[in-house]
Amino acid sequence: MKNAHMTLTINGEETEVSFAPYKTLLEVLREDLRLTGTKHGCELGECGACAVLLDGKPVLSCLVLGLECDGREVLTVEGLAEDGRLHPLQETFADMGAAQCGYCTPAILVTARELLDRIPNPSREQVREALSGILCRCTGYHQIFEAVEAAMTCTPLPAAGRARDEPLETEA
Amino acid sequence: MSSGNGTPRDDLKIIGRPRRRVDGRAKVTGQTLFADDLVLPRMLHCKLLRSSLPHARILQIDVSRALAHPGVHLVLTGGDFPIPYGILPVSEDETALCTDVVRFVGDPVAAVVARDEFTAAEAVDLIEVEYETLLTIATPEEALATPEPRIHEHSEKGNIHKLVSLSFGDVDQALKDSYRVFDDTFFYQGSTHLAIEQHATLAAMDPDGKLTVWSSTQTPHYLHRALAKVLETPAAHIRVIACPNGGGFGGKSDPFNHEIVVAGAARILDRPVKICLTREEVFYCHRGRHPVQMSFRTGVDREGNITGMHVRTFLDGGAYGSYGVASTFYTGALQTVTYHVPRYRFQGCRVFTNKPPCGPKRGHGTPQPRFGQEVQLDKIAEALDQDPADLRLRIVEKPDTITANYMTVSTIGLAECIRRVVKRSDWRRKFRQLPEGHGLGLACSSYLSGAGLPIYWNRMPHTGVQLKLDRSGGVTVFCGAIEIGQGSDDVLVACVAEVLGIQPFDIRAVTGDTDLTPVDLGSYSSRVTLMMGNAAIQAAERAREILASAVAAHLKVPRSRLVFADNTVLDSADPDTSVSFQEAVCLAEAASGTVGTVGSYTPPRSAARYKGGGVGPTPTYSYTASVVEVRVDPETGWIDVPRVWIAHDIGRALNPTLVRGQVEGDVYMAVGEALMEEQTFRRLPSRLSPALVHKFPSMLEYKSPTSHDMPEVITDLVEDPDPAGPFGAKEVGQGPLLPVMPAVANAVYDAVGVRVDEIPITPEKILKGLELKRAGRSPRVGPGPFPDIDWPEPLEVPPPWEGGDGKAETPKDVPR
């Protein structure tokens, strides 16, 4: 079986990749591009842990063939931080207990980012709806909802224990 | 949503304050490396062939076609790993690959190692196994009725794996003398952990010829022992690194087939070998909640005080021992630690069936009997015309008590927990007063802050912590504990930071690595915070002493006046006299050489000295009370849980953000078990196959709560520091799960007058109860009579108030 070869934009960077043509986008990301931030919990489109943004829309990367992604834009958790600064969602998730084991976290983060891009002030129901395709077994979801909502204004907690001592940025 | 109401102590700078967890940044940037994220040069991939039959003898395995398949490097079968292992020394009944008999659909038979997963999977399909079918034992009743063929030779008799019979005082007399005796049977269906991370393991030979195994395991120390045994290699030549677990919940606590297989394969091939299980395989690994049938016979006096209790449990163990002996004891261990039970008898029976093995899931063996006990108490309260909250408040066990079965209760905040949920839920105004279809239910629970005894008998500490400080001012803390999402690393670092007066970010944690870190027994039984925390404090206090000596000499102030805070060491009488923390380390290094300390923790000796008394003791119990609100649609039976109030006696919340996450995560998992989660099996039509298969080994069909299903949770933390806990902390990872299921059942009764005496509580069962009610029959849905089991004579242990000393009485002259 000959490898497929294509160019796509990953986290804002044009990237060339060769991969076995049967591979899913999930496998191309994890195995061929070594972007292991994107996780898998079933590889059947059931758990949601592999969500990434494809051309700005959340998709389950285990249900997308790599071959379908030629010339398209993919955003993974590795691309959330910009200019060396974490995205507000990352800050609030880390601060507010929204990541426990951290395994579903990358999928939830990119999905929440798409939600905030689309609806800057989502209601709790809209947050629940947006995240309903991703299972989290640890948190009971509430700290996730709150972290998504807090990211809108990025309400910081006391700085003790913050991984760096600068104040939180707030979204313009 | 209200958060925990942790009240920080002024003199504590880190402990008790909401704080970003130390591994938070790694987790939100996708940089936490789980086992399947690891890639090594020349790495090969492994796939397992699993049995398609539930019970069969292996007559022949032909691997020739698989071996000849291009890209295949190795094919292994049972003969390559003949030495049995198992988590408990009393039931080492597993082999890495089945040697002669397969015992459930999914039991591993052979392994292929190939250049990639795809090739390995292709080759697995080329292996031909010839089986001789054996009788399938599908249900626990069949196991009782079918002594032969035996699924294991080590079972007590026939297919009964374990029988327990313990008696603490004359229960029959107590029941005879009671005002009323309540007899109830309950059933609690099995469920699985469903951690989102599938189990994965990578093994490789080190350049020096030793073996390293990275794995998603909650118990690297026990895996280390199993690997040494099966591979016949000194443990010192094997290094086990527990990667952070993408959720555990007890499902990654056994040494697993795939871990041993890839370790063996890496050694044979001298190349890295990785395996990642599919979701279907994770369902076969299981080790989840045992399905348990229960009988509760409880006597009370006119006021509702319990006079005696006789509990019987019948566990469907699945195909292997796993933690099953401990699980069996746990179904009878903790009934006595919430309410005063003066006389108590427990009989438990675990059987083998041809299904994936059951084991420890969050709450390990205690959610099932807790469900029965708390639902029965609801019935007792109603029969005695008492409010269930008041009844419980009256009979709550007293602090500093040794119970009838010799469990030592030290601090107990249960009454306060009950008062909090009653107040916040407006219980007094709502219970039995809401409109039809709306209801409130209350239940309580207790759990261990760490098992008092290790899995294998030894006199060594349960955990160890090592500290390294040097002239850079940097502190590294080493501990074998494992981060599974619960915040293990954060507790470790926070305890050290607090004692040394530095910031968590100033500390590097090295955890879960058998080469680098002192032994910790693992992330199970809610033991990590209490045990590792105490060891960390001890190590940090010893380091503080070394630093204080050097600083006292340098500043010429008495050691007792020195305070460690805000990255400085200062004279409390003259705060301007100080050195920085880094300077303090330099002074100590100059004065007495390289600075390093250790700490360790061993639980206190238990009061229970009888055989079987090793399961249940703990340094201190946590307590929880919960009120659950339900809405039930009488037309469809659909049940909705809009709100859960929960109060947890935590001793002290070390990081309230994480504590709240544990409480809410417990409630979440409990709601799943209460309403929908079921690990069940079905037989295929016999003309097609004799197989007994998992009904739905997929995440779509195994229903678990989504973000839409999660109720509002109102959490209250009761903080009464416990002398046994680090800074007074008790456990939180498991206890708050326990009261929710019975509270749901009690709320359903309040809403529509239907008693569902089994878990899960589904719309079908509610509808059935409503039909019974309409027909004028008892609106109770649940199991029939408890099965007849030939129990052995109970071990008689007189309770403390009847002159007992924790030991069993010398057996009387019983005819043999």
Side-chain angles (χ1 to χ4, degrees):
Chain A
M1 204 160 10
K2 277 182 74 175
N3 268 359
H5 186 86
M6 66 189 194
T7 306
L8 67 171
T9 305
I10 308 255
N11 299 328
E13 292 175 17
E14 206 174 85
T15 308
E16 284 185 51
V17 60
S18 290
F19 57 91
Y22 58 78
K23 283 193 175 182
T24 62
L25 174 58
L26 169 71
E27 291 164 328
V28 174
L29 289 171
R30 287 181 55 84
E31 296 167 10
D32 299 288
L33 293 164
R34 298 277 170 92
L35 291 170
T36 54
T38 302
K39 304 304 178 195
H40 56 81
C42 65
E43 292 148 283
L44 295 165
E46 296 171 352
C47 70
C50 65
V52 299
L53 301 189
L54 182 61
D55 294 335
K57 293 270 177 285
V59 296
L60 299 180
S61 62
C62 74
L63 296 184
V64 176
L65 278 176
L67 285 173
E68 296 175 78
C69 299
D70 194 19
R72 300 174 75 178
E73 279 187 34
V74 177
L75 183 90
T76 69
V77 69
E78 288 92 345
L80 277 180
E82 279 177 37
D83 305 325
R85 291 179 156 248
L86 297 188
H87 188 276
L89 280 164
Q90 292 174 301
E91 295 280 9
T92 57
F93 270 58
D95 278 345
M96 298 173 71
Q100 281 189 25
C101 80
Y103 201 78
C104 70
T105 308
I108 290 192
L109 282 170
V110 296
T111 308
R113 199 194 98 154
E114 191 273 343
L115 172 72
L116 294 186
D117 286 351
R118 189 159 41 88
I119 310 172
N121 271 295
S123 65
R124 175 61 61 95
E125 266 322 292
Q126 286 170 319
V127 176
R128 278 187 193 253
E129 177 62 32
L131 302 180
S132 61
I134 305 167
L135 295 175
C136 168
R137 278 302 262 183
C138 294
T139 60
Y141 300 108
H142 287 301
Q143 287 178 318
I144 292 174
F145 301 153
E146 289 166 19
V148 172
E149 289 161 0
M152 295 188 262
T153 50
C154 215
T155 317
L157 279 175
R162 186 171 296 289
R164 52 170 200 250
D165 286 334
E166 56 194 87
L168 280 174
E169 66 225 77
T170 45
E171 270 195 327
Chain B
M1 240 58 45
S2 108
S3 63
N5 56 347
T7 38
R9 219 170 73 192
D10 281 348
D11 59 324
L12 297 177
K13 305 290 184 194
I14 313 291
I15 296 298
R17 296 170 197 276
R19 191 172 41 74
R20 172 181 289 195
R21 55 191 296 157
V22 296
D23 51 352
R25 192 179 192 283
K27 284 176 174 172
V28 299
T29 53
Q31 292 180 87
T32 299
L33 287 177
F34 299 92
D36 193 43
D37 298 336
L38 304 175
V39 174
L40 291 176
R42 300 178 73 237
M43 185 171 86
L44 300 171
H45 296 263
C46 177
K47 280 276 178 199
L48 299 178
L49 171 69
R50 291 176 183 267
S51 168
S52 55
L53 293 174
H55 200 191
R57 192 172 303 286
I58 300 170
L59 298 178
Q60 197 183 308
I61 305 181
D62 182 357
V63 301
S64 53
R65 289 175 64 211
L67 261 179
H69 192 63
V72 169
H73 289 254
L74 182 67
V75 181
L76 297 165
T77 58
D80 294 301
F81 302 97
I83 297 175
Y85 63 92
I87 183 71
L88 298 187
V90 293
S91 55
E92 293 191 322
D93 56 8
E94 303 186 47
T95 50
L97 297 166
C98 294
T99 49
D100 54 348
V101 173
V102 293
R103 296 179 174 87
F104 67 96
V105 170
D107 218 358
V109 173
V112 173
V113 180
R115 66 182 165 216
D116 53 37
E117 261 188 304
F118 189 90
T119 308
E122 283 180 328
V124 159
D125 288 342
L126 300 175
I127 299 174
E128 285 162 38
V129 187
E130 196 187 322
Y131 292 108
E132 177 197 348
T133 306
L134 298 170
L135 182 71
T136 298
I137 294 163
T139 66
E141 291 79 7
E142 281 176 37
L144 275 187
T146 319
E148 298 290 337
R150 275 167 91 137
I151 295 175
H152 288 287
E153 289 305 316
H154 71 82
S155 50
E156 281 199 10
K157 56 180 173 183
N159 281 303
I160 295 176
H161 172 201
K162 181 71 188 172
L163 281 165
V164 178
S165 203
L166 296 168
S167 195
F168 307 92
D170 190 341
V171 173
D172 294 330
Q173 191 61 45
L175 294 178
K176 211 174 284 175
D177 296 342
S178 296
Y179 168 61
R180 292 275 305 265
V181 174
F182 292 80
D183 242 321
D184 289 284
T185 56
F186 300 94
F187 175 61
Y188 198 111
Q189 184 56 280
S191 57
T192 202
H193 318 84
L194 207 75
I196 310 292
E197 181 204 24
Q198 300 144 275
H199 304 51
T201 305
L202 167 65
M205 296 303 285
D206 294 340
D208 62 3
K210 300 193 195 87
L211 178 67
T212 298
V213 177
W214 294 261
S215 193
S216 39
T217 176
Q218 297 176 235
T219 53
H221 175 62
Y222 297 137
L223 173 60
H224 195 204
R225 287 169 54 85
L227 286 168
K229 179 173 195 251
V230 178
L231 301 178
E232 297 181 277
T233 302
H237 300 167
I238 300 173
R239 176 183 186 186
V240 176
I241 300 174
C243 298
N245 287 200
F249 316 113
K252 294 165 182 165
S253 307
D254 287 63
F256 282 102
N257 310 72
H258 62 271
E259 295 175 312
I260 294 168
V261 167
V262 294
R267 196 167 61 170
I268 293 167
L269 295 168
D270 194 11
R271 283 181 71 161
V273 180
K274 183 159 88 172
I275 188 165
C276 181
L277 303 187
T278 65
R279 177 53 57 181
E280 186 180 353
E281 289 179 288
V282 174
F283 277 96
Y284 298 148
C285 283
H286 192 43
R287 322 285 161 152
R289 185 87 71 228
H290 284 75
V292 183
Q293 296 175 51
M294 294 164 274
S295 151
F296 276 76
R297 194 166 152 77
T298 304
V300 293
D301 67 14
R302 280 168 196 280
E303 280 76 47
N305 297 303
I306 295 169
T307 52
M309 183 184 266
H310 179 189
V311 173
R312 288 174 293 167
T313 62
F314 183 37
L315 295 80
D316 183 351
Y320 288 95
S322 182
Y323 283 79
V325 169
S327 316
T328 308
F329 280 109
Y330 270 128
T331 62
L334 300 191
Q335 275 77 321
T336 55
V337 302
T338 41
Y339 317 111
H340 186 64
V341 181
R343 287 179 179 179
Y344 181 59
R345 185 188 301 144
F346 165 60
Q347 292 170 306
C349 172
R350 183 184 196 257
V351 291
F352 287 122
T353 54
N354 291 119
K355 292 183 283 195
C358 296
K361 181 186 172 195
R362 208 171 195 172
H364 193 187
T366 73
Q368 302 98 324
R370 180 56 59 187
F371 172 73
Q373 184 172 11
E374 296 291 323
V375 172
Q376 188 181 51
L377 259 185
D378 206 59
K379 297 181 184 185
I380 292 173
E382 180 166 57
L384 300 183
D385 201 19
Q386 290 195 26
D387 182 287
D390 292 334
L391 171 65
R392 286 176 170 85
L393 282 169
R394 179 162 337 102
I395 64 175
V396 160
E397 188 53 281
K398 292 182 178 51
D400 301 316
T401 301
I402 294 177
T403 68
N405 59 340
Y406 290 87
M407 301 298 131
T408 304
V409 173
S410 48
T411 60
I412 169 166
L414 183 54
E416 181 59 19
C417 290
I418 297 172
R419 284 190 284 267
R420 296 254 187 119
V421 291
V422 161
K423 181 154 184 266
R424 296 194 71 170
S425 67
D426 207 4
W427 171 266
R428 304 278 179 206
R429 221 171 47 78
K430 290 182 181 163
F431 177 68
R432 294 285 190 268
Q433 293 164 62
L434 293 174
E436 180 72 8
H438 295 253
L440 285 193
L442 181 141
C444 301
S445 68
S446 175
Y447 199 68
L448 325 169
S449 303
L453 272 84
I455 295 280
Y456 64 98
W457 167 244
N458 72 83
R459 292 181 185 280
M460 292 173 279
H462 289 216
T463 187
V465 168
Q466 217 166 349
L467 271 184
K468 174 217 148 214
L469 295 75
D470 73 23
R471 58 195 78 178
S472 70
V475 175
T476 309
V477 56
F478 302 85
C479 179
I482 305 92
E483 174 58 48
I484 63 170
Q486 85 280 48
S488 169
D489 284 2
D490 194 70
V491 168
L492 179 64
V493 166
C495 288
V496 174
E498 184 65 55
V499 173
L500 294 181
I502 57 179
Q503 295 301 304
F505 193 52
D506 299 329
I507 298 172
R508 190 173 290 279
V510 178
T511 54
D513 182 327
T514 61
D515 257 17
L516 301 184
T517 62
V519 169
D520 175 275
L521 295 182
S523 282
Y524 67 94
S525 84
S526 275
R527 53 175 297 289
V528 173
T529 290
L530 188 137
M531 299 197 191
M532 175 194 73
N534 278 324
I537 290 171
Q538 187 181 59
E541 284 177 342
R542 287 171 175 171
R544 192 176 58 188
E545 282 308 300
I546 294 171
L547 268 53
S549 293
V551 174
H554 176 75
L555 295 178
K556 301 188 172 50
V557 298
R559 254 165 59 162
S560 56
R561 283 208 332 237
L562 291 177
V563 172
F564 285 67
D566 301 323
N567 291 64
T568 54
V569 183
L570 53 88
D571 177 4
S572 57
D574 172 19
D576 288 338
T577 305
S578 70
V579 297
S580 71
F581 181 80
Q582 184 187 356
E583 259 180 282
V585 182
C586 292
L587 290 167
E589 214 180 318
S592 52
T594 301
V595 183
T597 58
V598 294
S600 53
Y601 180 80
T602 308
R605 195 169 170 213
S606 160
R609 307 283 162 78
Y610 56 91
K611 191 167 184 282
V615 175
T618 178
T620 184
Y621 296 95
S622 77
Y623 289 91
T624 319
S626 178
V627 168
V628 169
E629 180 184 338
V630 301
R631 284 193 302 247
V632 179
D633 182 336
E635 294 299 309
T636 61
W638 189 258
I639 168 174
D640 211 18
V641 178
R643 217 158 277 111
V644 174
W645 293 267
I646 190 153
H648 182 66
D649 164 21
I650 177 109
R652 175 180 302 287
L654 298 185
N655 182 344
T657 305
L658 271 57
V659 168
R660 189 188 141 206
Q662 287 300 307
V663 174
E664 291 178 355
D666 274 315
V667 171
Y668 154 85
M669 200 163 272
V671 167
E673 288 192 26
L675 301 181
M676 60 188 92
E677 295 191 28
E678 291 185 85
Q679 168 110 337
T680 50
F681 299 81
R682 65 191 173 96
R683 280 185 194 273
L684 294 177
S686 53
R687 67 193 153 78
L688 294 177
S689 161
L692 171 76
V693 296
H694 196 293
K695 216 166 167 184
F696 26 56
S698 88
M699 288 176 125
L700 188 65
E701 294 303 322
Y702 180 93
K703 300 300 180 198
S704 64
T706 71
S707 58
H708 281 305
D709 304 309
M710 185 62 196
E712 185 184 346
V713 183
I714 297 96
T715 303
D716 249 303
L717 300 179
V718 172
E719 297 198 75
D720 175 16
D722 187 287
F727 301 103
K730 300 183 178 187
E731 77 89 34
V732 63
Q734 309 193 64
L737 175 137
L738 298 158
V740 177
M741 293 76 72
V744 169
N746 295 341
V748 166
Y749 181 71
D750 189 42
V752 291
V754 168
R755 285 285 180 197
V756 182
D757 286 344
E758 61 180 55
I759 288 292
I761 299 167
T762 58
E764 295 91 320
K765 291 174 191 172
I766 291 174
L767 280 183
K768 195 172 151 198
L770 287 169
E771 270 168 38
L772 290 168
K773 196 176 158 189
R774 274 195 294 274
R777 295 164 63 191
S778 162
R780 185 253 179 193
V781 180
F786 191 82
D788 277 331
I789 292 168
D790 187 13
W791 301 106
E793 277 297 309
L795 194 68
E796 300 281 353
V797 185
W801 39 84
E802 292 179 17
D805 59 0
K807 293 185 189 135
E809 275 181 349
T810 329
K812 296 188 190 100
D813 291 327
V814 272
R816 282 165 200 272

